[in-house]
Amino acid sequence: MSQNGILYDKSDLEEALRVLRAGGVIVYPTDTVWGIGCDATNVEAVRRIYALKQRSDSKSMLVLLDSPSKLNYYLSDIPDTAWTLLDVQGDDAQCTEDEGFKPLTIIYPGARNIAPNLIAEDGSIGIRITHESFSKALCERLRHPIVSTSANISGHSPARFFNEIEQAILDGADYVCRYRREDDCPHEPSSIIKIHTDGSFKIIRA
């Protein structure tokens, strides 16, 4: 099992899943930068991530899903604009930034079935469909969305590589994944687009 030729160990995935199912917090590689994650339906686990990042819970965090087919369960209505964006992005798990592929986070209105402390004051939630093998397998196996917030203290730079993660973040997690620790291929944060109920949208980050 690999991404860009880098193999991950099944035992690494299994331990990360065990921790997530138990309500724990993990540090893991995503389709963008290194992230802090938990079961996105677990209120207490989400609270722990806010505390670990020293971040106000008034600032919502995004979540990962493995398939667009699961969006309807977590959103009360999905504007057609969102489906168009997802269709353009496609579902090629082998795509990389080097091939012109950049992950896309969409902020949707009408969040539901998600931990309330993840939902913004206007009822929206940021969701990204991950095409990266490890995080995709985590979502598939957990059968819940996974929080994906950058592995840094709020206000500090995101960790593009494992060795950029602050020790306080590593110490505060219940499990730190082994996969891609030696990866020296730079990854950047995703593009972010916010879509409104009428289908209009705003580019938050290109």
Side-chain angles (χ1 to χ4, degrees):
M1 302 176 184
S2 67
Q3 176 75 11
N4 298 333
I6 302 173
L7 297 175
Y8 69 78
D9 188 334
K10 184 179 178 182
S11 65
D12 191 23
L13 181 72
E14 293 292 346
E15 182 61 16
L17 284 167
R18 184 194 67 78
V19 170
L20 291 171
R21 289 167 179 153
V25 170
I26 65 172
V27 171
Y28 70 118
T30 75
D31 53 338
T32 59
V33 296
W34 275 79
I36 308 172
C38 72
D39 180 343
T41 67
N42 187 313
V43 174
E44 183 54 37
V46 171
R47 187 178 293 119
R48 283 187 58 200
I49 292 182
Y50 280 119
L52 181 57
K53 286 182 64 73
Q54 301 175 31
R55 177 175 178 169
S56 167
D57 62 7
S58 65
K59 297 181 179 179
S60 59
M61 299 184 290
L62 70 92
V63 304
L64 296 182
L65 275 174
D66 57 285
S67 171
S69 65
K70 297 180 180 179
L71 286 169
N72 282 306
Y73 184 74
Y74 299 103
L75 302 167
S76 57
D77 185 45
I78 304 175
D80 289 341
T81 307
W83 292 120
T84 299
L85 288 169
L86 291 169
D87 286 343
V88 169
Q89 188 188 41
D91 189 26
D92 183 357
Q94 301 305 313
C95 282
T96 68
E97 290 179 10
D98 290 340
E99 294 165 345
F101 176 86
K102 186 170 184 179
L104 172 65
T105 298
I106 298 177
I107 301 175
Y108 298 88
R112 61 180 181 176
N113 299 319
I114 293 277
N117 49 347
L118 276 177
I119 300 173
E121 291 183 0
D122 63 359
S124 65
I125 184 72
I127 300 176
R128 186 166 71 249
I129 306 301
T130 178
H131 302 285
E132 184 272 333
S133 59
F134 189 83
S135 54
K136 187 179 183 74
L138 282 176
C139 291
E140 285 175 341
R141 296 279 299 280
L142 185 65
R143 298 185 180 180
H144 285 166
I146 298 174
V147 170
S148 178
T149 183
S150 56
N152 59 280
I153 292 170
S154 186
H156 295 192
S157 299
R160 297 176 305 156
F161 308 103
F162 178 75
N163 62 10
E164 294 179 346
I165 303 174
E166 296 160 282
Q167 193 61 45
I169 297 295
L170 298 174
D171 292 344
D174 299 302
Y175 183 65
V176 179
C177 295
R178 301 188 300 273
Y179 178 55
R180 273 178 44 200
R181 288 193 188 187
E182 307 301 322
D183 186 5
D184 60 0
C185 178
H187 296 266
E188 301 295 337
S190 69
S191 300
I192 302 176
I193 295 178
K194 183 169 185 176
I195 296 181
H196 303 285
T197 52
D198 63 359
S200 62
F201 64 91
K202 178 181 179 181
I203 298 174
I204 306 297
R205 183 170 67 207

